[in-house]
Amino acid sequence: MTDPHAIQPSELDQLPDRDPEETAEWQASLDAVAKAAGPHRAAYLMRRTLERAEGNGIALPKLLETDYVNTIPTAAEPGLPGDPELETRITAWNRWNAAAMVTRGSKYGVGGHIATFASAAWLYETGFNHFFKGKEADGSGDQLYIQGHASPGIYARAFLDGRLNEDHLDNFRRESGGNGLPSYPHPRRLPWLWEFPTVSMGLGPLSAIYQARFNRYLTARGIKDVSQSHVWAFLGDGEMDEPESTAALALASREGLDNLTFVINCNLQRLDGPVRANFKIVQELEAQFRGAGWNVIKTLWGSAWDELFQLDTTGALVRRLREVPDAQVQTYQTRDAAYIRQDFFGADPALVEMAKLLSDDKILECFHFSRGGHEARKVYAAYKAAVEFKGAPTVILAQTVKGNTLGEGFASKNANHQMKKLTVDEFKTMRDLLELPISDSQFVDGVVPYGHPGADSPEVRYLQERRAALGGPAPARRVHPLAPLPAPAEKAFASFDKGSGSQNVATTMAFVRLIKDLVRDKETGRRWVPIVPDEARTFGMESLFPSLGIYSPKGQTYEPVDRDQLMYYKEAKNGQILNEGITEAGSMADFIAASTAYSTHGEAMIPFYIFYSMFGWQRTADQMWQLGDQLGRGFLVGATAGRTTLTGEGLQHADGHSPVIAATNPASLTYDPAFAYEVATIVKDGLRRMYGEAAPGEDPNVFYYLTVYNEPLPQPAKPSGLGIDEGIVKGLYRFNTAESAGVDVAAANAPRIQLLGSGTAIHWALKAQRLLAEEWGVAADVWSATSWTELRRDALEADAALLRGEERVPYVRQALHGAEGPVLAVSDYMRQVPDQIAQWVEQDWSSLGADGFGLSDTRDAARRHFGVDAESIVVAALAQLARRGEVKATAVKEARERYGL
């Protein structure tokens, strides 16, 4: 019978053997070992041989999994510096106060999580005492992405070091009173403490990778040397199932981001039960990260296991640990020694003999408590190895027990993620376990007390001394007192005021032309960060390649195929463009890192991320919410926007709703400009507000979303008159009247209507204006609605002011006040977009929009299909006027027939 594992002749053809006799000797040796010592010994020898080959630089496929043991042997662990006894007491206080905070808050029904921090306490404490650099350290300090469900433990530590008080802790998850603590890391809610939002899960690891990469970008471009900053991301093993968690692992490895460490808390549990009930999540993650090129450190077993591994002379223990599924490991955590003897040790005769040498207490110590992630010395060894490793990012897989020290009612129970409180008796048991000096009398009326050793206690002094040595408190967010960026030269914006004459220009191209001028500005040009997801040529941005360069840590190691062309593909170590490939999620992570550099690094950067509008908000709206939480600033540009402008692409490319999604984000200022001069005016105002001198009451911590179109059309000159710029920024201004447009209206007292259009739709409104006058004797004024969303927000604020007794009229009502006739609004989006302002318009209101799924066809056919073309606008306008008795009802039927509607 043919051995299915043997190398087949076809493979030998690809791998010519220069010495078949030597090969046969090696194979025979392996066969002999397997026969004499068993397959386990043969596998052991092969693994060790592969490891030696890798260590010697011999090019072989990497071993994706190692044994289920610690990567760093006990004998190789460095000594733990500092005062381990004091660190143990500090950790005990933090465990207690984290649990007390959530339990005390449970009476309000606001929830909270206890078990996550209980498992990860030493992962944080070791870092805070020995590794995490504060803002006063070299560069900008370290960047910490804290696991969201562990927030009570971080608050507890801030309480111990005096940054929070009992009143703060008592208002955990109760923020409306002004002195509360947000549930998770939310910079917008607690901007002096939190830097990075990490809930929704999965966004933390993705953002951490791109933050580490952006740190390299800042250094390479000479903006700021942050080479000493290290990025730490604390994650859950269940969180790694989120696709964003592993989406950029290859990028981190490819670019050698050794300034990045993932710490995955492998407590083997997610929200409802085991992460991998029938498998082993640690082994799966190891293979995934090793395959992506990361350095992997496993910190699985505590020192109590050392004796067991020394007794394992046959390898039976290591084999058994490798084969037991995670759910069974959790079961051992909750069972007695007799069960573990029978189920774990009873599976192999060698283990039966080993178990005879172990007391019940020893077995329970190992299987109930002793995990690598619960011992400071083992965590320290892993962290030290991570920061010293060069050439690749590191992931630390630290095994812990979820709910550790919270008592038998919590540890490793499937429901512990949803368990929000401990009883008084459970707290007393925890107190005794942690050896805390809290008396029974301090439990007044059954309320668990907070614990604090005193502001001048050895614990607090030690904690503060360690943080001072590492550069100050952490986590901490700091907004440096930056001088406003100087405004770019006015001519960059004013050049659009005269229009394009006879040349047809799409607003996408107008935006790109503006950026080309702005990045040349001597004062601020180098602070622009262009971000493109492999679509620069789609948007006409390839001319920026040779002048700005595409960032690559390796520079350009090849001769580009288009090197002889003017606009060749140029990569550079100090390149300015971030061209991310086909990843909207990665591009958004870039944008978040760049848009918050003003606080993370004290350097104001001006990112603009240009993308297919359909694949921005629809695909990455959660990250845009993260961006708002992190107080990011910059320009998001939805190009090839609209449902009918992108000819031929069809349903999943036709954006009819991005402004609807954008309107849900309070930090997003959403604009749908129609003309080039509007684009320039909005960008100019955005630079002023976010990077210059914001007006009183204006929040600079916003970002702008502009939709721009790929349809080449004549760009008119900017109308003269007062209030045009104000109207563009606020969202509405009158572009022309029937009279100023020069259309011939037969009757002096002709019926009149107000046409409101946004984006490319204003061109259909202008055509409808002519048709209404020339064919139906109706006078129409045309308004450019640059932002339906900003009009609505202003109106909502006016309503709120009225409830406070303040007199305030919404801007949209002021602008349209006295305008004759009804109002008809139209856009290239679903009707819900213009209908945002309907209730504040005093005139009769109606709207047209491109509701439904998109379709592939010509622009004209698509617009006729959705009923938003000029002829459809005419019919809708006549119908409105007919209802008012201002035109004959027969005119509507006649128009439908004339235009074939």
Side-chain angles (χ1 to χ4, degrees), residues 9-26:
S10 61
E11 294 179 74
L12 289 174
D13 292 341
Q14 300 298 318
L15 300 170
D17 192 343
R18 292 182 295 178
D19 192 342
E21 185 176 345
E22 183 183 37
T23 303
E25 290 175 358
W26 276 76

Side-chain angles (χ1 to χ4, degrees), residues 254-268:
R254 185 169 65 245
E255 300 205 359
L257 298 181
D258 50 25
N259 61 337
L260 169 68
T261 298
F262 277 15
V263 181
I264 303 182
N265 177 19
C266 298
N267 57 36
L268 313 186

Side-chain angles (χ1 to χ4, degrees), residues 232-260:
W232 300 82
F234 288 83
L235 319 167
D237 47 1
E239 181 180 5
M240 299 310 294
D241 283 347
E242 291 283 6
E244 296 88 354
S245 294
T246 55
L249 297 186
L251 167 73
S253 172
R254 185 169 65 245
E255 300 205 359
L257 298 181
D258 50 25
N259 61 337
L260 169 68

Side-chain angles (χ1 to χ4, degrees), residues 22-90:
E22 183 183 37
T23 303
E25 290 175 358
W26 276 76
Q27 291 172 336
S29 297
L30 181 64
D31 293 342
V33 170
K35 183 176 181 180
H40 297 305
R41 177 61 181 170
Y44 175 87
L45 290 175
M46 288 300 299
R47 285 198 300 274
R48 292 296 175 265
T49 302
L50 285 171
E51 289 171 357
R52 174 61 64 87
E54 183 177 339
N56 289 337
I58 298 173
L60 285 172
K62 288 189 175 182
L63 202 64
L64 294 186
E65 286 187 32
T66 60
D67 287 324
Y68 202 67
V69 296
N70 295 347
T71 302
I72 304 172
T74 300
E77 292 171 0
L80 181 65
D83 188 326
E85 182 181 347
L86 276 178
E87 291 180 22
T88 298
R89 281 153 52 186
I90 290 169

Side-chain angles (χ1 to χ4, degrees), residues 687-737:
L687 290 172
R688 175 199 62 79
R689 177 169 177 173
M690 295 184 291
Y691 301 97
E693 296 283 0
E698 278 187 327
D699 182 3
N701 298 314
V702 294
F703 58 93
Y704 282 60
Y705 175 52
L706 282 72
T707 48
V708 292
Y709 299 82
N710 71 326
E711 185 174 9
L713 290 165
Q715 294 296 326
K718 187 175 185 179
S720 59
L722 298 174
I724 297 297
D725 284 2
E726 179 189 28
I728 292 171
V729 172
K730 288 192 171 182
L732 182 68
Y733 69 97
R734 181 153 43 197
F735 176 71
N736 70 19
T737 64

Side-chain angles (χ1 to χ4, degrees), residues 639-699:
T640 61
R643 181 146 281 165
T644 69
T645 57
L646 190 57
T647 57
E649 291 287 359
L651 187 149
Q652 283 195 259
H653 283 68
D655 173 20
H657 55 275
S658 69
V660 177
I661 308 174
T664 66
N665 191 311
S668 172
L669 276 60
T670 304
Y671 287 92
D672 186 25
F675 306 123
Y677 67 80
E678 293 179 352
V679 172
T681 301
I682 293 165
V683 171
K684 178 182 177 182
D685 185 71
L687 290 172
R688 175 199 62 79
R689 177 169 177 173
M690 295 184 291
Y691 301 97
E693 296 283 0
E698 278 187 327
D699 182 3

